Amino acid sequence: MAADANKGNAVVETIKTVVYALLIAGVFRTVFFQPFWIPSGSMKDTLLIGDFLFVNKMAYGYSYASCPTIRPLGIDAKGLCAFLDGDNTRIMGSEPERGDVIVFRHPVNGSDYIKRLIGLPGDTVQMKNGVLHINGEAVKLENDGTFVEPASPQGPQGLRPRCENGPVGTGGDCMKSRQIETLPNGVEHAVLNIGNQSSDNTPVYTVPAGHYFFMGDNRDNSTDSRVPQQAGGVGFVPYENLIGRADRIMFSSAGRSMLAFWTWRSDRYLKGIE
């Protein structure tokens, strides 16, 4: 009888330990840092498919988007943080800066996206012949050589990169023009291009109050704020949908799984994000 009681107590203690661990992990993920694995190439070469990073959720304060969505259990962020759901409601909020690389909740489908903040509330944004214009002024661009990567499937989804040097056979060199773009506040970052695309010339977008305009650094391979939400794009993103700022890559895997340690990119450990 005593042995059975001890076994029962051990089971209860194990369950308690697991529950406490999950609660602590949930609080840490909700309040401080959220893990994020880059699934697509829209932010190359700042972020590569397979980069693993933690998102700083303290940077802009907290909103409903700060709460995790647990899709397998049918739990969404708005349900967990309903008390913060409203018209751009945030607590302990601070304004993001132009050029920040930010993870945000898609305003329509609820997925988490990562892009660079380009347009602030009240700004006008336009692409002309592949050059970004903010408030009617062209940003500074400097040629910076060529970005080269293997023309082969990448990441769990097996995505193949698009190349400026035309269709390239598997294993060949896929090339894109690389430039350094300088935003009005002095933030410099690399952008990639593969030639003339429809997204290189856009109408003028006026960013509404309480919203932001995002773009990918891989300019010709990014479904971002240039594409309206009705067409499956990001459109303008409300302030409350910001999750946090991406500051540093922890490690990076070039394989189909981040557990395949032999495919980790050693030059990207603890790499700062610019």
Side-chain angles (χ1 to χ4, degrees):
M1 296 287 289
D4 290 341
N6 288 335
K7 286 182 181 178
N9 290 335
V11 170
V12 170
E13 290 303 316
T14 299
I15 293 173
K16 285 182 179 179
T17 300
V18 171
V19 170
Y20 291 153
L22 291 173
L23 287 173
I24 292 170
V27 170
F28 183 86
R29 187 182 187 277
T30 300
V31 178
F32 300 110
F33 297 96
Q34 175 176 319
F36 194 84
W37 193 26
I38 303 301
S40 73
S42 67
M43 282 295 293
K44 291 178 182 176
D45 64 344
T46 303
L47 298 172
L48 303 180
I49 295 176
D51 282 349
F52 181 83
L53 49 89
F54 283 100
V55 178
N56 181 357
K57 302 181 83 169
M58 299 175 284
Y60 312 125
Y62 304 94
S63 71
Y64 89 88
S66 303
C67 282
T69 294
I70 309 174
R71 296 187 188 280
L73 299 180
I75 302 173
D76 63 25
K78 290 197 174 185
L80 287 170
C81 288
F83 66 98
L84 287 175
D85 188 17
D87 185 15
N88 272 340
T89 303
R90 297 191 80 89
I91 59 174
M92 300 170 63
S94 58
E95 297 292 331
E97 296 183 8
R98 194 192 311 275
D100 286 355
V101 177
I102 296 175
V103 173
F104 58 89
R105 192 68 43 82
H106 191 287
V108 176
N109 64 33
S111 299
D112 292 348
Y113 277 52
I114 186 165
K115 306 285 183 188
R116 189 177 298 276
L117 176 56
I118 296 297
L120 304 176
D123 282 345
T124 62
V125 180
Q126 184 179 23
M127 293 292 292
K128 295 182 181 180
N129 298 319
V131 179
L132 174 64
H133 288 66
I134 299 176
N135 296 323
E137 298 291 331
V139 301
K140 179 183 177 184
L141 278 177
E142 295 179 275
N143 291 329
D144 192 45
T146 304
F147 174 73
V148 183
E149 61 183 334
S152 55
Q154 300 176 356
Q157 302 176 56
L159 301 175
R160 290 183 63 91
R162 299 174 65 200
C163 313
E164 186 175 16
N165 53 326
V168 178
T170 300
D173 286 342
C174 176
M175 301 181 181
K176 297 178 179 67
S177 297
R178 188 177 191 269
Q179 296 173 304
I180 300 299
E181 182 177 85
T182 304
L183 299 176
N185 60 344
V187 172
E188 296 181 352
H189 61 97
V191 294
L192 303 181
N193 291 281
I194 61 173
N196 295 327
Q197 305 290 316
S198 59
S199 56
D200 288 338
N201 291 280
T202 71
V204 176
Y205 304 97
T206 301
V207 186
H211 291 71
Y212 296 91
F213 191 98
F214 288 90
M215 294 178 68
D217 291 348
N218 192 1
R219 287 290 161 79
D220 295 330
N221 192 35
S222 176
T223 304
D224 47 40
S225 291
R226 291 172 291 180
V227 182
Q229 295 167 3
Q230 300 90 323
V234 169
F236 301 119
V237 178
Y239 182 40
E240 67 177 351
N241 283 47
L242 306 189
I243 295 174
R245 186 180 65 222
D247 293 330
R248 188 170 298 275
I249 299 163
M250 304 308 293
F251 66 87
S252 181
S253 172
R256 298 184 69 87
S257 169
M258 64 179 174
L259 299 179
F261 62 87
W262 58 90
T263 66
W264 289 6
R265 303 176 177 107
S266 59
D267 61 330
R268 297 184 74 78
Y269 295 154
L270 301 178
K271 180 180 174 64
I273 297 173
E274 299 178 352

